[in-house]
């Protein structure tokens, strides 16, 4: 008996082991294991034992259940044995699949059992075989009964005993299959029995059952009619959820969607929603449920949670990977059998057909397993990404201010965009970690079987290759880390640039930011170049690996005198090709896992960050006490560790229905006190108690990118009466009448198309509409004019809110005598509290504030008294007739400095235009522009020629192998290896040259495109930024640029190689099996048809995916910027649902895109498999003189991977087209219409221009677009150099628009502005803007330091900067900080109060010392005392300068040389203030309103 005879022996005896007396213990144990697990008889005993044990366990469970019911005296036996009764349920394909598979197995084994007994039992083996079939048949009939029982009683999960049984039986049947395959391939004679055929045929059924056992679900689901959070079932849900097993197996459920996409470009609403089990709300809920409890000491909480959530998915994917791994090597093993058959006598043609059948089966299994492996991995990645994004968002809603600043909004957005994607992408690479070593071991074992010790030459080279690629991967990982850091820095600057573009254009800082961005890009590009060139080295090594290993291995075989024939060499080269992929992917796998571990670390840090303590504030609903807001002995800090105390010794009581006012100097802690009442600060000590619900209006307006109505409703239901009342008391009725679309007008990003006053009133209306008990209002009057402020105080604060508790932070001393309680703050303490008269008598801080206000009002009061008689007369007549309503529509936006409301076509209320989206195929022009951007067509031609040479050299090496190993050729080992080595060397040279050439061309193109888009963005007019969300621009310079930097050149080069490889494979296959050449026409037609059919939808999935990704990030940024408002109103759930909806919208694109990829891959690979099987049939049928055996080996070595190469060639070409959408999108923004030139060479102003500051405006008319009404309608006036001009007018009258025209942010439609004899429209924009100074309405600071904000261009000395800070009242504040001028300014200047930000902006202008200064509400957010000091300093420092000031505070403009009253786009009045006050005038009426509002409210 041979050593492996037990594989065919029907004996259950262990004599074969006992005969190995002289063997080592290890050999004995190994043989014992082989006998027990691979010999037919022990295998059947093992499976029969498992069957009987399962039946026994099931019997015990059934008896136990019945006994428990009788003990409970239950008469009815109709209740289920397997689960609880569920009255309403639906049955999915998983149940029917289990039922069908179990029925097939039960019937199959019953038939085999009947055949065994009817044929007669004549030996012990036949008796054992018959009883084995009987036991297995009975077992599956019992399982069939159990499954039917499950449906009857709606058991939602299979019993654990059944799941364990299916798992164990799969393992044993898998061993059966291994034994059958070994006997078939390695033993001569007819050793394949009926049982073997049944086992091989039923193996896929057992695979399905083990998948069901891992899932646990029976396929019976509760039918409740709702999905997710109670939403109605979606009628447009993806077909995946209801598809049959076969439909899921071959992705037929995608057919309707792909058909629709082929007929016409898919629209957003035509893509079905996600299946319920994949939706973001389910994923987040599952993730949160599995998150480690507080008592668990878990080092890596995010990783632990992901494993707990998705371990079942990982196991199923691993099983598919094992199947894929096993069938992958069937093809190479069959090559020798095919060559042996074709070179033999062919007396038994059925053997050839068996080989073809095995090849076809293995290929079908390989195709199915590989694509389901990919699809399930992508689905798992999608689930993980969904879980991470939604959990990050939910965490962001709970973070403390300190934690939020520690991470930064940009960094958290990176967690969402980058880290979640890293974890998602890792799922495709994860299993390579254990699969690659297995593949390498399996390949080496096969090579050892065929080549003996020569295999060690291949082993040495594989080890060297792995070490080299690991080193290069590790180095490239470091490069990529540096690249990511530099990219993040660049994106941070670009994000800041886009958020503050108006200020940057006012200051003419575009070139400064351009230099900053290009400097960071150059640093990024340095690391990108290193990364790309190292990748080129890595790819060169991996692409030439097959030839190098083959040459060394065959050289070693010749050295060790191993025989080389066609069967051996082509089996070896096929195995080498199989090895190429895992070795190529292994470093990428390690890199991906390494990046994922970094991402997990970052996410751990974020997810474990400190959250707001909900118990900081004791909130009472429906309380009966008199106190509404109470703080006792409060000590608070913005920092979680409490190091920097901002409020101390806080004691206050605000009674129900009272109006409490908080006043104090800039930076005294007023806004922080409101935040402490809301629970936003870290409470070090004390108690905070709030009775009832709260509403909050922030000092810096927070407006959502939606309609005005949606901003006011804020998720509450519409109540028409209350809504109209709110509009009235917040003085919004007039604004809405002027707007063409009223409250349906869309507000731009950050409220860009509204004036400061309008934004403030809208968020006040939002608070009033919510009808809360306690209102916290932070300086709501700073951005509105005197009359509007008086109306709001009278109608809203003391009207609609008269019965509410109101805590008001204000600098308006006029309103304080109406307050029930006044709190005076200094240095984070309440230094005084009481009523107006009490505090006035006590003097101190409050007395100083009132005195400063009274001093500023003295001139107003005296002027009013002098002209009191005139002011009592009728309202002044306008020198111009009132314009019709249609011409006023643009005025509302004028004060906000935006033009966009009237830029849209009539009938549209949208300000933000839908993103421009191409449809149909990517045009040839896009390819042409990309390919020829660097060196024209010469670069493309060079790459194509070198790729052709490489393919020719690769094919030559294999032809040389076939020629040298043919039987008719005289074998010359020396010549053979010399020529083969030379060809292999040429292949390596061509690969290296091509890799580095592609890298060089790709880098050059990427840099040119980046320079163009940055240049285009910086030159774009302001109207572009008003109508284009920043996320839309950021996606171009981040994601799209990243694809251009790296993915597109790599994919394009791979596509070239793939198509050349496919052509080579087809050429060799058709040459060897020439009758298959008639298949080439349908093959080419099918591939191109499938490609065209697939790409029509896939391309739109990519475009729609890009469009739906930006809103996720924008929504998060918007939420974080208004997080205090969101939390105060308790709208976290509403905003979280908004995030969920956006994530689902994006993920459904990814889901269907992944499904369409596998749909295409399955069909193309199946076509390739059919082709190679047809070719092998002809090889079997045709005699050896037609197809020599060595060419059979050559054709098979090329043909076996044909199915996958064919798919990857088409798929990669589609991927290139999808990624070329990024080039298309970048080109869209390169073609933005530009504003006027920054500099005009032949029209440069003199160095000291403007030298006097004389300004002459002649018939100035402005409209935002040619088809919109005039905003300024013919203003003519003259300003003498050195004059101080005050501009006043109602909100939306056109004041800020006038200033924008001076800077040519908006170009005049007619008329001229002459400054010191120079027409400003003839100058370059930078020559004009750089000569003016401006303090804009909204104080903007950039991330950096105090120094970089005061002097961004680094033109001044430290002494000059300190003098500037001293003049703007900030020297003491900055000097008190440890870092002095290098004190940090965080993103948006959030670590400085709004008043301090305005003072820093003032210091910036003082340092510049321009001859003409524009001030747009420059001191709106500072107190009267500081305002008076600043105004005095400005008049002193800019005594000889022309100053044009827009102000709502009358004292600010009352002492100007002249006052310009703008109304409805006309210069209604332009005179000295005293002159205007002497007669009935608009200015006189404004002064009267301001002086009377303290007593009139």
């Amino acid at each position: 008996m041979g050593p492996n005879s037990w594989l065919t022996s029907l004996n259950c005896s262990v004599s074969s082991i006992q005969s190995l007396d002289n063997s080592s213990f290890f050999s004995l144990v190994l043989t014992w294991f082989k006998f027990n697990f691979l010999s037919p008889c022990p295998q059947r005993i093992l499976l029969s034992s498992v069957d009987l044990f399962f039946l026994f366990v099931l019997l015990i469970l059934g008896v136990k259940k019945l006994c428990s019911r009788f003990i409970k005296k239950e008469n009815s036996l109709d209740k289920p044995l397997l689960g609880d009764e569920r009255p309403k349920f639906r049955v999915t394909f998983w149940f029917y699949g289990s039922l069908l598979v179990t029925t097939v197995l039960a019937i199959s084994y019953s038939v085999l059992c009947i055949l065994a007994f009817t044929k007669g039992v004549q030996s012990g083996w036949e008796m054992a075989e018959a009883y084995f079939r009987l036991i297995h048949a009975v077992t599956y009939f019992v399982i069939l009964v159990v499954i039917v029982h499950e449906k009857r009683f709606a058991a939602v999960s299979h019993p654990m005993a059944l799941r364990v049984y299916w798992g164990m039986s799969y393992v044993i049947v898998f061993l059966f299959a291994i034994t059958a395959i070994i006997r078939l391939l390695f033993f001569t004679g007819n050793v394949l029995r009926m049982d073997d055929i049944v086992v091989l045929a039923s193996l896929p059924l057992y695979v399905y059952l083990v998948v069901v056992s891992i899932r646990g679900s029976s396929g019976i689901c509760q039918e409740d009619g709702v999905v997710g959070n109670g939403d109605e079932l979606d009628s447009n849900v993806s077909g995946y959820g209801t598809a049959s097993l076969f439909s899921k197996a071959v992705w037929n459920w995608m057919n309707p969607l792909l058909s629709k996409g082929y007929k016409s470009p898919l629209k957003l609403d035509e893509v079905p929603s996600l299946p319920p089990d994949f939706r973001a709300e389910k994923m987040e809920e599952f993730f949160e449920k599995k998150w480690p409890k507080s008592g668990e000491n878990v080092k890596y909480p995010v990783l632990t949670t992901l494993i707990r959530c998705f371990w079942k998915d990982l196991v199923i994917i691993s099983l598919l990977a094992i199947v894929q791994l096993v069938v992958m090597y069937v093809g190479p093993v069959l090559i020798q059998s095919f060559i042996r058959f074709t070179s033999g006598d062919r007396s038994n043609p059925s053997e050839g057909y068996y080989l073809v059948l095995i090849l076809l089966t293995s290929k079908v299994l390989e195709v199915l397993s590989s694509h389901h492996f990919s699809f399930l991995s992508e689905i798992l990645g999608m689930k993980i990404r969904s879980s991470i994004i939604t959990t990050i968002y939910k965490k962001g809603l709970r973070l403390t201010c300190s934690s939020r600043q520690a991470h930064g909004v940009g960094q958290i957005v990176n967690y969402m965009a980058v880290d979640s994607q890293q974890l998602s992408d890792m799922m495709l690479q994860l299993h390579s970690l254990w699969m690659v070593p297995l593949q390498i071991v399996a390949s080496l074992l096969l090579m050892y079987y065929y080549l003996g010790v020569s295999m060690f030459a291949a082993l040495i080279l594989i080890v060297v290759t792995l070490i080299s690629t690991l080193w290069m991967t590790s180095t490239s990982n470091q490069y990529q880390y540096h690249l990511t850091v530099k990219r993040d820095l660049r994106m941070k600057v670009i994000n800041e640039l886009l958020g503050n573009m108006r200020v940057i254009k006012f200051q003419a800082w575009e070139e400064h930011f351009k230099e900053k961005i290009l400097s960071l890009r150059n640093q990024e590009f340095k690391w990108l170049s290193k990364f790309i060139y190292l990748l080129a080295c890595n790819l060169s090594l991996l692409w030439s690996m097959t030839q190098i290993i083959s040459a060394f291995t065959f050289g070693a075989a010749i050295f060790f005198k191993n025989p080389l024939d066609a069967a051996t060499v082509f089996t070896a080269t096929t195995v080498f090709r199989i090895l190429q992929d895992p070795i190529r992917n292994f470093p990428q796998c390690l890199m991906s896992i390494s990046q994922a571990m970094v991402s997990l670390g970052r996410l751990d840090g974020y997810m474990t960050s400190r959250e707001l303590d909900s118990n900081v504030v004791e909130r009472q609903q429906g309380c009966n006490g008199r106190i509404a807001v109470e703080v006792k002995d409060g000590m608070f800090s913005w920092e979680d560790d409490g190091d920097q105390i901002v409020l101390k010794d806080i004691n206050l009581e605000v009674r129900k229905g009272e109006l409490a006012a908080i006043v104090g100097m800039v930076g005294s802690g007023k806004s922080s006190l409101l935040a402490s009442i809301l629970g936003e600060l870290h409470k070090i000590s004390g108690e905070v108690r709030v009775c009832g619900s709260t509403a909050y209006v922030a000092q810096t307006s927070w407006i959502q990118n939606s309609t005005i109505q949606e901003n006011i409703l804020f998720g509450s239901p519409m109540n028409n009466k209350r809504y109209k009342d709110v509009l009235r008391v917040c003085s919004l009725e007039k604004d809405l009448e002027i707007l063409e679309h009223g409250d349906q007008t869309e507000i731009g990003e950050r409220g860009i198309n509204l004036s400061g006053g309008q934004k403030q009133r809208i968020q006040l209306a939002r608070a009033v509409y919510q009808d809360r008990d306690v209102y916290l209002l932070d300086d709501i009057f700073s951005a509105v004019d005197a009359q509007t402020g008086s109306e709001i105080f009278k109608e809203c604060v003391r009207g609609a809110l008269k019965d509410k508790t109101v805590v008001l932070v204000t600098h308006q001393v006029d309103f304080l005598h109406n307050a029930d309680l006044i709190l005076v703050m200094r240095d984070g303490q309440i230094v005084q509290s009481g009523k107006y008269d009490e505090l006035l008598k006590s003097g101190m801080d409050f007395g100083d504030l009132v005195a400063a206000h009274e001093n500023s009002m003295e001139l107003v009061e005296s002027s009013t008294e002098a002209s009191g008689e005139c002011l009592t007369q009728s309202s002044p007549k306008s020198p111009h007739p009132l314009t019709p309503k249609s011409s006023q529509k643009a005025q509302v936006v004028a004060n906000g400095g935006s033009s966009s409301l009237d830029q849209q076509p009539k009938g549209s209320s949208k300000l933000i235009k839908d993103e421009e989206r191409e449809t149909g195929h990517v045009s040839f022009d896009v390819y042409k522009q990309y390919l020829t951007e660097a060196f024209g067509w010469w670069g493309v031609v060079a790459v194509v020629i070198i790729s052709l040479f490489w393919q020719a050299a690769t094919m030559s090496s294999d032809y040389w192998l076939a020629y040298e190993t043919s039987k008719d050729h005289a074998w010359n080992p020396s010549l053979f290896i010399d020529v083969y080595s030379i060809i292999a060397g040429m292949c390596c040279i061509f690969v290296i040259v091509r890799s580095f050439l592609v890298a060089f061309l790709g880098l050059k193109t990427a840099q040119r495109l980046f320079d163009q888009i940055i240049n285009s963005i910086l030159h774009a007019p302001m109207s572009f930024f008003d109508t284009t969300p920043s996320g839309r621009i950021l996606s171009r310079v981040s994601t799209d640029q990243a694809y251009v930097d790296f993915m597109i050149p790599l994919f394009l080069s791979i596509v070239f190689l793939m198509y050349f490889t496919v052509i080579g494979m087809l050429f060799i296959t058709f040459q060897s099996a020439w009758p298959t050449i008639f298949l080439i026409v349908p093959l080419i037609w099918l591939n191109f048809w499938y490609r065209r059919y697939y790409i029509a939808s896939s391309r739109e999935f990519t475009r729609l995916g890009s469009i739906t990704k930006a809103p996720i990030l924008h929504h998060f940024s918007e939420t974080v910027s208004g997080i205090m408002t969101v939390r105060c109103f308790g709208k976290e759930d509403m905003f979280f649902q908004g995030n969920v909806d956006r994530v689902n919208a994006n993920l459904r694109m990814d889901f269907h895109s992944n499904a369409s990829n596998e749909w295409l891959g399955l069909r193309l690979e199946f076509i390739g498999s059919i082709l190679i099987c047809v070719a092998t049939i002809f090889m079997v049928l045709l005699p050896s003189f037609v197809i020599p055996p060595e060419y059979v080996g050559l054709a098979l070595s090329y043909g076996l991977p044909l199915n996958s190469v064919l798919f990857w060639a088409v798929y990669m070409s589609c991927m290139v087209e999808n990624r070329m959408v990024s080039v298309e999108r970048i080109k869209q923004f390169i073609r933005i219409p530009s504003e006027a030139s920054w500099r005009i060479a032949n029209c440069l102003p003199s160095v000291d221009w403007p030298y006097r500051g004389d300004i002459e405006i002649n018939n100035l008319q402005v409209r935002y677009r040619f088809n919109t009404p005039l905003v300024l309608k013919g203003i003519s006036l003259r300003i003498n150099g050195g004059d101080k001009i005050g501009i006043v007018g109602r909100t939306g009258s056109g004041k800020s628009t006038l200033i924008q025209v001076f800077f040519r942010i908006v170009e005049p439609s007619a008329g001229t502005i002459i400054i010191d004899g120079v027409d400003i429209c003839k100058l370059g924009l930078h020559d004009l803007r750089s000569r003016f100074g401006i303090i804009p309405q909204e104080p903007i600071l950039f991330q950096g330091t105090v120094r970089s904000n005061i002097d961004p261009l680094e033109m001044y000395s430290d002494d000059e900067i300190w003098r500037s800070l001293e003049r703007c009242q900030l020297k003491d504040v900055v000097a008190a900080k440890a870092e002095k001028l290098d004190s940090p300014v965080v993103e948006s200047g959030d670590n400085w109060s709004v008043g301090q930000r305005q003072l820093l902006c003032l210091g910036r202008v003082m340092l510049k010392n321009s001859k003409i200064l524009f001030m747009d509400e420059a001191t709106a957010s500072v107190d009267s005392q500081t305002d008076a000091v600043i105004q005095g300093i400005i008049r002193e420092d800019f005594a000889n300068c022309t100053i044009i000031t827009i102000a709502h505070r009358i004292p600010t403009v009352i002492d100007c040389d002249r006052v310009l009253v703008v109304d409805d786009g006309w210069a209604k009045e332009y005179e000295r203030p005293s002159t205007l006050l002497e007669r009935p005038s608009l200015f006189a009426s404004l002064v009267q309103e301001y002086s009377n509002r303290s007593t009139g409210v």
Side-chain angles (χ1 to χ4, degrees), residues 111-349:
V111 171
L112 290 173
C113 177
I114 293 169
L115 289 174
F117 281 107
T118 53
K119 189 173 67 173
V121 178
Q122 298 175 356
S123 66
W125 163 255
E126 290 176 346
M127 178 66 73
E129 181 79 350
Y131 279 112
F132 159 70
R133 294 173 181 176
L134 176 62
I135 293 169
H136 213 48
V138 170
T139 302
Y140 271 94
F141 270 115
V142 171
I143 293 173
L144 190 60
V145 172
V146 169
I147 292 176
V148 173
H149 185 77
E150 287 176 342
K151 183 181 179 183
R152 180 182 176 192
F153 297 105
V156 295
S157 59
H158 291 300
M160 183 55 70
L162 179 58
R163 293 167 62 187
V164 171
Y165 169 76
W166 275 340
M168 294 179 67
S169 61
Y170 166 75
V171 173
I172 298 170
V173 171
F174 188 69
L175 294 174
F176 274 57
I178 291 174
T179 305
I181 292 171
I182 291 173
R183 281 200 299 268
L184 175 66
L185 297 178
F186 298 102
F187 287 83
T188 57
N190 187 16
V191 294
L192 194 64
R193 287 182 291 273
M194 177 63 72
D195 267 9
D196 294 331
I197 297 171
V198 172
V199 163
L200 290 173
S202 63
L203 184 61
L205 304 181
Y206 283 95
V207 171
Y208 173 79
L209 290 178
V210 80
V211 169
V212 171
S213 71
I214 293 169
R215 288 184 77 253
S217 170
S218 65
I220 299 170
C221 303
Q222 186 176 0
E223 184 66 87
D224 50 11
V226 294
V227 175
N229 297 334
D231 301 329
E232 292 299 319
L233 280 169
D234 191 348
S235 60
N236 191 31
V237 73
S238 172
Y240 179 85
T242 55
S244 66
L245 179 61
F246 176 77
S247 180
K248 283 191 175 184
V250 297
W251 286 276
N252 272 355
W253 56 272
M254 279 293 294
N255 288 346
L257 183 61
L258 292 175
S259 175
K260 186 183 293 183
Y262 181 64
K263 292 172 184 174
S264 62
L266 288 171
K267 298 180 180 63
L268 195 63
D269 57 354
E270 290 178 333
V271 180
S273 58
L274 287 170
D277 291 341
F278 296 162
R279 293 186 185 175
E281 56 268 34
K282 285 283 186 71
M283 293 299 103
E284 191 280 331
E285 182 184 344
F286 195 36
F287 188 89
E288 192 170 354
K289 182 180 176 183
K290 298 294 183 180
W291 183 261
K293 303 297 183 288
S294 55
E296 297 182 62
N297 186 20
V298 177
K299 190 174 181 181
Y300 304 107
V302 176
L303 177 61
T304 303
T305 308
L306 289 175
I307 292 172
R308 289 176 179 178
C309 289
F310 304 115
W311 68 269
K312 290 183 181 179
D313 302 72
L314 288 170
V315 171
I316 293 172
I317 294 168
S318 301
L319 291 172
L320 286 169
I322 292 171
V323 174
Q324 180 186 353
L325 189 62
V326 170
V327 297
M328 187 185 296
Y329 287 95
V330 173
V333 169
L334 287 175
I335 288 180
Q336 191 170 43
S337 301
F338 271 110
I339 293 177
R340 188 173 64 241
F341 175 81
T342 54
S343 60
D345 57 4
R346 306 194 187 207
S347 57
N348 185 10

Side-chain angles (χ1 to χ4, degrees), residues 604-667:
D604 283 337
Y606 173 77
M607 297 300 292
T608 53
S609 297
R610 189 160 180 170
E611 298 180 3
L612 276 182
D613 184 358
S614 58
N615 298 320
V616 166
V617 178
E618 182 184 336
R619 302 183 187 276
Q620 301 175 350
Q621 299 295 331
C623 46
N624 299 319
R626 295 181 300 109
I627 307 301
V629 179
E630 182 180 19
V631 182
K632 288 184 179 179
D633 302 321
M635 187 178 293
F636 302 91
S637 170
W638 282 108
E639 303 295 327
D640 292 338
D641 53 19
D643 286 349
Q644 298 180 6
I645 298 172
V646 293
L647 296 174
K648 55 189 175 182
D649 302 327
I650 301 296
N651 288 280
L652 68 89
E653 280 188 3
V654 181
R655 297 181 179 180
K656 287 185 178 179
E658 280 190 343
L659 168 62
I662 303 174
V663 296
M665 299 280 284
V666 171

Side-chain angles (χ1 to χ4, degrees), residues 189 461 558 628 648 724 824 1048 1127 1258 1307:
L461 280 177
I558 291 170
K648 55 189 175 182
K724 290 177 182 177
V824 186
I1048 292 177
R1127 289 200 283 231
N1258 298 312
E1307 296 283 357

Side-chain angles (χ1 to χ4, degrees), residues 945-958:
I945 289 173
I946 294 170
S947 300
L948 277 171
F949 284 156
W950 172 79
Q951 184 61 37
T954 304
M955 292 171 63
S956 300
S957 67
D958 291 318

Side-chain angles (χ1 to χ4, degrees), residues 795-821:
E795 297 293 334
C796 183
V797 177
R798 302 308 289 164
L801 303 181
K802 66 178 183 297
D803 297 325
K804 307 289 185 180
T805 305
V806 179
V807 181
L808 171 68
V809 170
T810 184
H811 294 300
Q812 311 294 325
V813 178
D814 320 76
F815 300 131
L816 294 182
H817 70 276
N818 292 282
D820 301 303
L821 174 68

Side-chain angles (χ1 to χ4, degrees), residues 288-410:
E288 192 170 354
K289 182 180 176 183
K290 298 294 183 180
W291 183 261
K293 303 297 183 288
S294 55
E296 297 182 62
N297 186 20
V298 177
K299 190 174 181 181
Y300 304 107
V302 176
L303 177 61
T304 303
T305 308
L306 289 175
I307 292 172
R308 289 176 179 178
C309 289
F310 304 115
W311 68 269
K312 290 183 181 179
D313 302 72
L314 288 170
V315 171
I316 293 172
I317 294 168
S318 301
L319 291 172
L320 286 169
I322 292 171
V323 174
Q324 180 186 353
L325 189 62
V326 170
V327 297
M328 187 185 296
Y329 287 95
V330 173
V333 169
L334 287 175
I335 288 180
Q336 191 170 43
S337 301
F338 271 110
I339 293 177
R340 188 173 64 241
F341 175 81
T342 54
S343 60
D345 57 4
R346 306 194 187 207
S347 57
N348 185 10
S350 61
E351 183 184 348
Y353 300 139
Y354 276 133
L355 291 173
V356 174
L357 182 61
I358 293 170
L359 178 63
L360 177 62
T361 305
S362 67
K363 279 294 174 185
V364 169
L365 283 175
E366 182 184 350
V367 169
L368 284 171
S369 59
S370 64
H371 285 285
H372 279 281
F373 170 84
S374 298
F375 184 61
L376 293 180
S377 297
E378 287 158 345
I379 293 296
L380 178 57
M382 186 189 77
K383 289 180 179 178
I384 289 174
R385 181 166 164 254
S386 172
S387 304
I388 295 295
I389 290 176
T390 48
T391 308
I392 287 173
Y393 185 91
K394 202 167 196 177
K395 180 74 175 182
L397 293 173
R398 301 194 293 252
L399 281 181
T400 64
C401 177
S402 177
S403 298
R404 194 168 60 251
Q405 285 189 359
H407 291 280
V409 177

Side-chain angles (χ1 to χ4, degrees), residues 104 436 635-636 716 752 868 929 938 1067 1080 1086 1174 1222 1246 1408 1457 1492:
V104 169
V436 169
M635 187 178 293
F636 302 91
S716 298
I752 196 76
Q929 288 168 350
W938 292 108
F1067 177 79
I1080 192 167
L1086 273 174
V1174 170
S1222 293
S1246 60
K1408 190 175 181 181
D1457 298 313
N1492 290 342

Side-chain angles (χ1 to χ4, degrees), residues 1025-1206:
F1025 299 98
D1026 291 343
T1027 57
T1028 307
S1030 58
R1032 202 175 288 178
I1033 305 172
L1034 286 172
S1035 66
R1036 260 80 173 178
V1037 294
S1038 58
T1039 308
D1040 290 324
Q1041 185 63 44
Y1043 284 139
V1044 171
D1045 285 345
F1046 172 66
M1047 301 296 282
I1048 292 177
L1050 178 66
F1051 285 178
L1052 269 173
S1053 66
I1054 290 175
V1055 166
F1056 277 131
L1057 286 181
M1058 285 287 187
Y1059 272 110
F1060 287 136
T1061 303
V1062 167
I1063 291 168
M1065 285 180 168
L1066 291 175
F1067 177 79
I1068 289 175
T1069 303
F1070 291 144
Q1071 181 202 15
S1072 303
W1074 56 264
T1076 55
I1077 200 164
F1078 72 90
L1079 293 175
I1080 192 167
V1081 173
L1083 178 71
I1084 292 173
W1085 180 84
L1086 273 174
N1087 275 274
F1088 277 101
W1089 184 87
Y1090 269 121
R1091 183 189 185 282
R1092 191 171 68 252
Y1093 190 82
Y1094 155 82
I1095 195 65
S1097 299
S1098 177
R1099 184 175 49 235
E1100 301 311 311
F1101 290 141
T1102 303
R1103 284 170 173 155
L1104 292 170
S1106 299
I1107 289 170
T1108 54
K1109 187 174 288 184
I1112 298 172
L1113 308 181
H1114 169 68
H1115 181 247
F1116 177 75
S1117 300
E1118 186 178 70
T1119 304
V1120 170
S1121 62
I1123 190 64
M1124 284 179 64
T1125 303
V1126 173
R1127 289 200 283 231
C1128 172
F1129 287 106
K1131 297 292 183 179
E1132 294 96 330
D1133 290 343
M1134 182 183 85
F1135 275 78
F1136 176 69
Q1137 187 58 45
N1139 171 257
V1140 164
D1141 293 340
R1142 288 165 174 82
V1143 171
N1144 282 334
N1146 179 243
L1147 290 184
R1148 64 177 172 161
M1149 304 305 161
D1150 288 351
F1151 176 75
H1152 291 98
S1153 178
N1154 293 333
S1156 65
N1157 293 344
E1158 306 310 328
W1159 178 93
L1160 174 73
L1162 184 85
R1163 282 150 181 78
L1164 291 184
E1165 288 210 43
F1166 188 72
I1167 290 170
S1169 300
I1170 294 295
L1171 177 68
I1172 189 61
C1173 289
V1174 170
T1176 52
I1177 288 173
F1178 282 113
M1179 294 175 197
V1180 168
L1181 290 173
L1182 296 173
S1184 57
F1185 65 83
V1186 176
I1187 305 178
E1190 62 271 16
Y1191 283 100
V1192 171
L1194 175 63
L1196 286 174
S1197 70
Y1198 269 81
L1200 286 174
L1202 176 63
N1203 60 316
S1204 59
V1205 174
L1206 195 62

